[in-house]
Amino acid sequence: MNKKFIITLIISIAVCLSIGALGGLSVKADNFVWYNSLNRSSLNPPNILFPIAWGILYILLAVSITLVINKKPVNKQAVIIFIIQLLLNSFWTFIFFGLKQPLFGLIEIIILDIMIIINIIKFKPISKAASILLIPYLAWCLFASYLTLYVVMFN
């Protein structure tokens, strides 16, 4: 790995983790009381798993975008799609937890899922590895979509 790649990776990790944390700023202690009072799927993981999973996923996202940014010429459209889906990810937390609006959260996460699929498709010709790194993220978001749908349907 060259110096430029490492610097880009460090910046990408910082940006991805920061955007994730930005969504988390909308979550207050009473949001967890509200969330824990909801009827949730029996497949709902323990709350402690979420920050661990997201930390790993944000690092995978950072590696993915770093691989794309380091290909010349930089595909600006692919980078913009990545940024859009990353922001949508953060918005879901705000909508679902901050505003306590599961239905709007469901609509938003479906849009996010579609954007992640588009992102994977756009990344594949640039870097197959970058697109593969997004697959666990897509899987987790699809699972989160199911959990959100469950909340909408049974509350």
Side-chain angles (χ1 to χ4, degrees):
M1 285 187 224
N2 64 32
K3 186 178 178 179
K4 181 182 179 222
F5 183 89
I6 293 170
I7 291 169
T8 306
L9 178 60
I10 291 168
I11 293 169
S12 296
I13 289 171
V15 168
C16 288
L17 289 173
S18 295
I19 298 223
L22 185 63
L25 290 176
S26 64
V27 181
K28 308 283 186 258
D30 74 314
N31 296 111
F32 288 111
V33 172
W34 167 78
Y35 179 68
N36 289 329
S37 74
L38 297 173
N39 292 320
R40 294 177 287 160
S41 167
S42 61
L43 299 177
N44 206 85
N47 291 344
I48 189 66
L49 182 61
F50 289 98
I52 296 166
W54 279 115
I56 293 167
L57 291 170
Y58 285 130
I59 291 170
L60 292 176
L61 287 168
V63 174
S64 179
I65 191 64
T66 299
L67 290 170
V68 169
I69 289 173
N70 278 281
K71 293 283 184 171
K72 298 299 177 200
V74 174
N75 184 319
K76 292 177 186 170
Q77 183 185 37
V79 173
I80 289 168
I81 290 169
F82 178 86
I83 292 167
I84 291 169
Q85 65 78 21
L86 188 61
L87 291 172
L88 284 169
N89 181 303
S90 185
F91 290 153
W92 179 87
T93 306
F94 173 72
I95 293 167
F96 187 89
F97 284 104
L99 299 177
K100 299 178 184 175
Q101 293 292 323
L103 178 59
F104 292 125
L106 178 62
I107 294 165
E108 197 273 356
I109 202 167
I110 291 169
I111 295 167
L112 171 60
D113 294 336
I114 293 166
M115 287 303 297
I116 295 169
I117 293 166
I118 292 168
N119 199 171
I120 290 169
I121 292 166
K122 284 290 187 185
F123 275 18
K124 189 173 182 186
I126 301 164
S127 168
K128 188 174 180 183
S131 66
I132 290 169
L133 287 169
L134 295 177
I135 292 173
Y137 173 54
L138 174 61
W140 187 257
C141 286
L142 289 170
F143 180 59
S145 299
Y146 157 74
L147 296 175
T148 304
L149 174 63
Y150 190 95
V151 167
V152 169
M153 289 177 61
F154 297 102
N155 287 281

